[in-house]
mmCIF file with all atom_site columns, all heavy atoms in Angstrom:
data_model
loop_
_atom_site.group_PDB
_atom_site.id
_atom_site.type_symbol
_atom_site.label_atom_id
_atom_site.label_alt_id
_atom_site.label_comp_id
_atom_site.label_asym_id
_atom_site.label_entity_id
_atom_site.label_seq_id
_atom_site.pdbx_PDB_ins_code
_atom_site.Cartn_x
_atom_site.Cartn_y
_atom_site.Cartn_z
_atom_site.occupancy
_atom_site.B_iso_or_equiv
_atom_site.pdbx_formal_charge
_atom_site.auth_seq_id
_atom_site.auth_comp_id
_atom_site.auth_asym_id
_atom_site.auth_atom_id
_atom_site.pdbx_PDB_model_num
ATOM 1   N N   . GLN S 1 69 ? 1.971  -5.365  -25.441 1.00 92.00 ? 90  GLN S N   1
ATOM 2   C CA  . GLN S 1 69 ? 3.240  -5.684  -24.798 1.00 92.00 ? 90  GLN S CA  1
ATOM 3   C C   . GLN S 1 69 ? 4.051  -6.703  -25.587 1.00 92.00 ? 90  GLN S C   1
ATOM 4   O O   . GLN S 1 69 ? 5.281  -6.636  -25.628 1.00 92.00 ? 90  GLN S O   1
ATOM 5   C CB  . GLN S 1 69 ? 2.986  -6.199  -23.380 1.00 92.00 ? 90  GLN S CB  1
ATOM 6   C CG  . GLN S 1 69 ? 2.390  -5.148  -22.458 1.00 92.00 ? 90  GLN S CG  1
ATOM 7   C CD  . GLN S 1 69 ? 2.162  -5.661  -21.049 1.00 92.00 ? 90  GLN S CD  1
ATOM 8   O OE1 . GLN S 1 69 ? 2.359  -6.852  -20.766 1.00 92.00 ? 90  GLN S OE1 1
ATOM 9   N NE2 . GLN S 1 69 ? 1.741  -4.791  -20.166 1.00 92.00 ? 90  GLN S NE2 1
ATOM 10  N N   . GLY S 1 70 ? 3.371  -7.645  -26.236 1.00 91.00 ? 91  GLY S N   1
ATOM 11  C CA  . GLY S 1 70 ? 4.073  -8.685  -26.974 1.00 91.00 ? 91  GLY S CA  1
ATOM 12  C C   . GLY S 1 70 ? 4.818  -8.189  -28.195 1.00 91.00 ? 91  GLY S C   1
ATOM 13  O O   . GLY S 1 70 ? 5.672  -8.904  -28.728 1.00 91.00 ? 91  GLY S O   1
ATOM 14  N N   . THR S 1 71 ? 4.500  -6.985  -28.654 1.00 94.00 ? 92  THR S N   1
ATOM 15  C CA  . THR S 1 71 ? 5.199  -6.442  -29.823 1.00 94.00 ? 92  THR S CA  1
ATOM 16  C C   . THR S 1 71 ? 6.515  -5.747  -29.442 1.00 94.00 ? 92  THR S C   1
ATOM 17  O O   . THR S 1 71 ? 7.281  -5.373  -30.329 1.00 94.00 ? 92  THR S O   1
ATOM 18  C CB  . THR S 1 71 ? 4.321  -5.425  -30.581 1.00 94.00 ? 92  THR S CB  1
ATOM 19  O OG1 . THR S 1 71 ? 4.133  -4.251  -29.772 1.00 94.00 ? 92  THR S OG1 1
ATOM 20  C CG2 . THR S 1 71 ? 2.972  -6.021  -30.930 1.00 94.00 ? 92  THR S CG2 1
ATOM 21  N N   . LEU S 1 72 ? 6.759  -5.553  -28.142 1.00 94.00 ? 93  LEU S N   1
ATOM 22  C CA  . LEU S 1 72 ? 7.925  -4.799  -27.691 1.00 94.00 ? 93  LEU S CA  1
ATOM 23  C C   . LEU S 1 72 ? 9.111  -5.738  -27.522 1.00 94.00 ? 93  LEU S C   1
ATOM 24  O O   . LEU S 1 72 ? 9.232  -6.457  -26.524 1.00 94.00 ? 93  LEU S O   1
ATOM 25  C CB  . LEU S 1 72 ? 7.630  -4.070  -26.374 1.00 94.00 ? 93  LEU S CB  1
ATOM 26  C CG  . LEU S 1 72 ? 6.364  -3.201  -26.341 1.00 94.00 ? 93  LEU S CG  1
ATOM 27  C CD1 . LEU S 1 72 ? 6.280  -2.443  -25.006 1.00 94.00 ? 93  LEU S CD1 1
ATOM 28  C CD2 . LEU S 1 72 ? 6.330  -2.235  -27.511 1.00 94.00 ? 93  LEU S CD2 1
ATOM 29  N N   . ARG S 1 73 ? 9.979  -5.763  -28.521 1.00 91.00 ? 94  ARG S N   1
ATOM 30  C CA  . ARG S 1 73 ? 11.204 -6.559  -28.471 1.00 91.00 ? 94  ARG S CA  1
ATOM 31  C C   . ARG S 1 73 ? 12.343 -5.688  -27.952 1.00 91.00 ? 94  ARG S C   1
ATOM 32  O O   . ARG S 1 73 ? 12.207 -4.476  -27.807 1.00 91.00 ? 94  ARG S O   1
ATOM 33  C CB  . ARG S 1 73 ? 11.549 -7.062  -29.875 1.00 91.00 ? 94  ARG S CB  1
ATOM 34  C CG  . ARG S 1 73 ? 10.502 -7.981  -30.476 1.00 91.00 ? 94  ARG S CG  1
ATOM 35  C CD  . ARG S 1 73 ? 10.688 -9.402  -30.001 1.00 91.00 ? 94  ARG S CD  1
ATOM 36  N NE  . ARG S 1 73 ? 9.839  -10.333 -30.725 1.00 91.00 ? 94  ARG S NE  1
ATOM 37  C CZ  . ARG S 1 73 ? 9.966  -11.661 -30.654 1.00 91.00 ? 94  ARG S CZ  1
ATOM 38  N NH1 . ARG S 1 73 ? 10.922 -12.186 -29.919 1.00 91.00 ? 94  ARG S NH1 1
ATOM 39  N NH2 . ARG S 1 73 ? 9.153  -12.448 -31.333 1.00 91.00 ? 94  ARG S NH2 1
ATOM 40  N N   . HIS S 1 74 ? 13.511 -6.295  -27.717 1.00 86.00 ? 95  HIS S N   1
ATOM 41  C CA  . HIS S 1 74 ? 14.647 -5.530  -27.202 1.00 86.00 ? 95  HIS S CA  1
ATOM 42  C C   . HIS S 1 74 ? 15.057 -4.414  -28.147 1.00 86.00 ? 95  HIS S C   1
ATOM 43  O O   . HIS S 1 74 ? 15.397 -3.317  -27.714 1.00 86.00 ? 95  HIS S O   1
ATOM 44  C CB  . HIS S 1 74 ? 15.844 -6.453  -26.943 1.00 86.00 ? 95  HIS S CB  1
ATOM 45  C CG  . HIS S 1 74 ? 15.670 -7.331  -25.741 1.00 86.00 ? 95  HIS S CG  1
ATOM 46  N ND1 . HIS S 1 74 ? 15.733 -6.859  -24.457 1.00 86.00 ? 95  HIS S ND1 1
ATOM 47  C CD2 . HIS S 1 74 ? 15.433 -8.666  -25.649 1.00 86.00 ? 95  HIS S CD2 1
ATOM 48  C CE1 . HIS S 1 74 ? 15.537 -7.846  -23.612 1.00 86.00 ? 95  HIS S CE1 1
ATOM 49  N NE2 . HIS S 1 74 ? 15.357 -8.952  -24.297 1.00 86.00 ? 95  HIS S NE2 1
ATOM 50  N N   . GLY S 1 75 ? 15.025 -4.691  -29.446 1.00 91.00 ? 96  GLY S N   1
ATOM 51  C CA  . GLY S 1 75 ? 15.543 -3.721  -30.401 1.00 91.00 ? 96  GLY S CA  1
ATOM 52  C C   . GLY S 1 75 ? 14.512 -2.796  -31.007 1.00 91.00 ? 96  GLY S C   1
ATOM 53  O O   . GLY S 1 75 ? 14.862 -1.859  -31.712 1.00 91.00 ? 96  GLY S O   1
ATOM 54  N N   . GLY S 1 76 ? 13.223 -3.052  -30.764 1.00 94.00 ? 97  GLY S N   1
ATOM 55  C CA  . GLY S 1 76 ? 12.193 -2.223  -31.365 1.00 94.00 ? 97  GLY S CA  1
ATOM 56  C C   . GLY S 1 76 ? 10.859 -2.950  -31.390 1.00 94.00 ? 97  GLY S C   1
ATOM 57  O O   . GLY S 1 76 ? 10.675 -3.969  -30.713 1.00 94.00 ? 97  GLY S O   1
ATOM 58  N N   . VAL S 1 77 ? 9.944  -2.445  -32.179 1.00 96.00 ? 98  VAL S N   1
ATOM 59  C CA  . VAL S 1 77 ? 8.611  -3.023  -32.288 1.00 96.00 ? 98  VAL S CA  1
ATOM 60  C C   . VAL S 1 77 ? 8.600  -4.122  -33.352 1.00 96.00 ? 98  VAL S C   1
ATOM 61  O O   . VAL S 1 77 ? 9.164  -3.961  -34.438 1.00 96.00 ? 98  VAL S O   1
ATOM 62  C CB  . VAL S 1 77 ? 7.584  -1.931  -32.642 1.00 96.00 ? 98  VAL S CB  1
ATOM 63  C CG1 . VAL S 1 77 ? 6.243  -2.537  -33.045 1.00 96.00 ? 98  VAL S CG1 1
ATOM 64  C CG2 . VAL S 1 77 ? 7.392  -0.978  -31.462 1.00 96.00 ? 98  VAL S CG2 1
ATOM 65  N N   . ASP S 1 78 ? 7.954  -5.233  -33.041 1.00 95.00 ? 99  ASP S N   1
ATOM 66  C CA  . ASP S 1 78 ? 7.821  -6.353  -33.966 1.00 95.00 ? 99  ASP S CA  1
ATOM 67  C C   . ASP S 1 78 ? 6.387  -6.366  -34.500 1.00 95.00 ? 99  ASP S C   1
ATOM 68  O O   . ASP S 1 78 ? 5.431  -6.579  -33.750 1.00 95.00 ? 99  ASP S O   1
ATOM 69  C CB  . ASP S 1 78 ? 8.127  -7.662  -33.237 1.00 95.00 ? 99  ASP S CB  1
ATOM 70  C CG  . ASP S 1 78 ? 7.996  -8.873  -34.136 1.00 95.00 ? 99  ASP S CG  1
ATOM 71  O OD1 . ASP S 1 78 ? 7.984  -8.709  -35.370 1.00 95.00 ? 99  ASP S OD1 1
ATOM 72  O OD2 . ASP S 1 78 ? 7.899  -9.997  -33.588 1.00 95.00 ? 99  ASP S OD2 1
ATOM 73  N N   . PHE S 1 79 ? 6.230  -6.133  -35.802 1.00 96.00 ? 100 PHE S N   1
ATOM 74  C CA  . PHE S 1 79 ? 4.904  -6.070  -36.411 1.00 96.00 ? 100 PHE S CA  1
ATOM 75  C C   . PHE S 1 79 ? 4.366  -7.442  -36.814 1.00 96.00 ? 100 PHE S C   1
ATOM 76  O O   . PHE S 1 79 ? 3.219  -7.544  -37.242 1.00 96.00 ? 100 PHE S O   1
ATOM 77  C CB  . PHE S 1 79 ? 4.932  -5.163  -37.645 1.00 96.00 ? 100 PHE S CB  1
ATOM 78  C CG  . PHE S 1 79 ? 5.117  -3.703  -37.327 1.00 96.00 ? 100 PHE S CG  1
ATOM 79  C CD1 . PHE S 1 79 ? 6.364  -3.111  -37.434 1.00 96.00 ? 100 PHE S CD1 1
ATOM 80  C CD2 . PHE S 1 79 ? 4.043  -2.931  -36.924 1.00 96.00 ? 100 PHE S CD2 1
ATOM 81  C CE1 . PHE S 1 79 ? 6.539  -1.767  -37.153 1.00 96.00 ? 100 PHE S CE1 1
ATOM 82  C CE2 . PHE S 1 79 ? 4.193  -1.582  -36.636 1.00 96.00 ? 100 PHE S CE2 1
ATOM 83  C CZ  . PHE S 1 79 ? 5.451  -1.002  -36.749 1.00 96.00 ? 100 PHE S CZ  1
ATOM 84  N N   . GLU S 1 80 ? 5.199  -8.483  -36.714 1.00 95.00 ? 101 GLU S N   1
ATOM 85  C CA  . GLU S 1 80 ? 4.783  -9.811  -37.144 1.00 95.00 ? 101 GLU S CA  1
ATOM 86  C C   . GLU S 1 80 ? 3.579  -10.290 -36.332 1.00 95.00 ? 101 GLU S C   1
ATOM 87  O O   . GLU S 1 80 ? 3.616  -10.365 -35.098 1.00 95.00 ? 101 GLU S O   1
ATOM 88  C CB  . GLU S 1 80 ? 5.936  -10.805 -36.974 1.00 95.00 ? 101 GLU S CB  1
ATOM 89  C CG  . GLU S 1 80 ? 5.633  -12.208 -37.460 1.00 95.00 ? 101 GLU S CG  1
ATOM 90  C CD  . GLU S 1 80 ? 5.651  -12.302 -38.982 1.00 95.00 ? 101 GLU S CD  1
ATOM 91  O OE1 . GLU S 1 80 ? 6.169  -11.380 -39.639 1.00 95.00 ? 101 GLU S OE1 1
ATOM 92  O OE2 . GLU S 1 80 ? 5.160  -13.310 -39.509 1.00 95.00 ? 101 GLU S OE2 1
ATOM 93  N N   . GLY S 1 81 ? 2.485  -10.593 -37.008 1.00 93.00 ? 102 GLY S N   1
ATOM 94  C CA  . GLY S 1 81 ? 1.309  -11.131 -36.338 1.00 93.00 ? 102 GLY S CA  1
ATOM 95  C C   . GLY S 1 81 ? 0.515  -10.120 -35.525 1.00 93.00 ? 102 GLY S C   1
ATOM 96  O O   . GLY S 1 81 ? -0.392 -10.516 -34.779 1.00 93.00 ? 102 GLY S O   1
ATOM 97  N N   . VAL S 1 82 ? 0.823  -8.840  -35.649 1.00 97.00 ? 103 VAL S N   1
ATOM 98  C CA  . VAL S 1 82 ? 0.148  -7.831  -34.845 1.00 97.00 ? 103 VAL S CA  1
ATOM 99  C C   . VAL S 1 82 ? -1.314 -7.688  -35.286 1.00 97.00 ? 103 VAL S C   1
ATOM 100 O O   . VAL S 1 82 ? -1.636 -7.829  -36.473 1.00 97.00 ? 103 VAL S O   1
ATOM 101 C CB  . VAL S 1 82 ? 0.873  -6.466  -34.948 1.00 97.00 ? 103 VAL S CB  1
ATOM 102 C CG1 . VAL S 1 82 ? 0.721  -5.859  -36.339 1.00 97.00 ? 103 VAL S CG1 1
ATOM 103 C CG2 . VAL S 1 82 ? 0.364  -5.503  -33.893 1.00 97.00 ? 103 VAL S CG2 1
ATOM 104 N N   . THR S 1 83 ? -2.199 -7.453  -34.334 1.00 97.00 ? 104 THR S N   1
ATOM 105 C CA  . THR S 1 83 ? -3.595 -7.163  -34.658 1.00 97.00 ? 104 THR S CA  1
ATOM 106 C C   . THR S 1 83 ? -3.691 -5.774  -35.273 1.00 97.00 ? 104 THR S C   1
ATOM 107 O O   . THR S 1 83 ? -3.096 -4.819  -34.771 1.00 97.00 ? 104 THR S O   1
ATOM 108 C CB  . THR S 1 83 ? -4.468 -7.228  -33.390 1.00 97.00 ? 104 THR S CB  1
ATOM 109 O OG1 . THR S 1 83 ? -4.431 -8.553  -32.861 1.00 97.00 ? 104 THR S OG1 1
ATOM 110 C CG2 . THR S 1 83 ? -5.913 -6.856  -33.699 1.00 97.00 ? 104 THR S CG2 1
ATOM 111 N N   . ARG S 1 84 ? -4.448 -5.679  -36.356 1.00 98.00 ? 105 ARG S N   1
ATOM 112 C CA  . ARG S 1 84 ? -4.668 -4.393  -37.025 1.00 98.00 ? 105 ARG S CA  1
ATOM 113 C C   . ARG S 1 84 ? -6.150 -4.045  -36.913 1.00 98.00 ? 105 ARG S C   1
ATOM 114 O O   . ARG S 1 84 ? -7.001 -4.876  -37.206 1.00 98.00 ? 105 ARG S O   1
ATOM 115 C CB  . ARG S 1 84 ? -4.227 -4.460  -38.496 1.00 98.00 ? 105 ARG S CB  1
ATOM 116 C CG  . ARG S 1 84 ? -2.719 -4.655  -38.654 1.00 98.00 ? 105 ARG S CG  1
ATOM 117 C CD  . ARG S 1 84 ? -2.307 -4.844  -40.103 1.00 98.00 ? 105 ARG S CD  1
ATOM 118 N NE  . ARG S 1 84 ? -0.865 -4.979  -40.217 1.00 98.00 ? 105 ARG S NE  1
ATOM 119 C CZ  . ARG S 1 84 ? -0.020 -3.975  -40.434 1.00 98.00 ? 105 ARG S CZ  1
ATOM 120 N NH1 . ARG S 1 84 ? -0.512 -2.736  -40.592 1.00 98.00 ? 105 ARG S NH1 1
ATOM 121 N NH2 . ARG S 1 84 ? 1.277  -4.172  -40.505 1.00 98.00 ? 105 ARG S NH2 1
#
Side-chain angles (χ1 to χ4, degrees):
Q90 294 181 355
T92 68
L93 308 185
R94 298 277 189 169
H95 287 287
V98 168
D99 179 17
F100 290 99
E101 183 75 15
V103 69
T104 297
R105 294 175 178 268

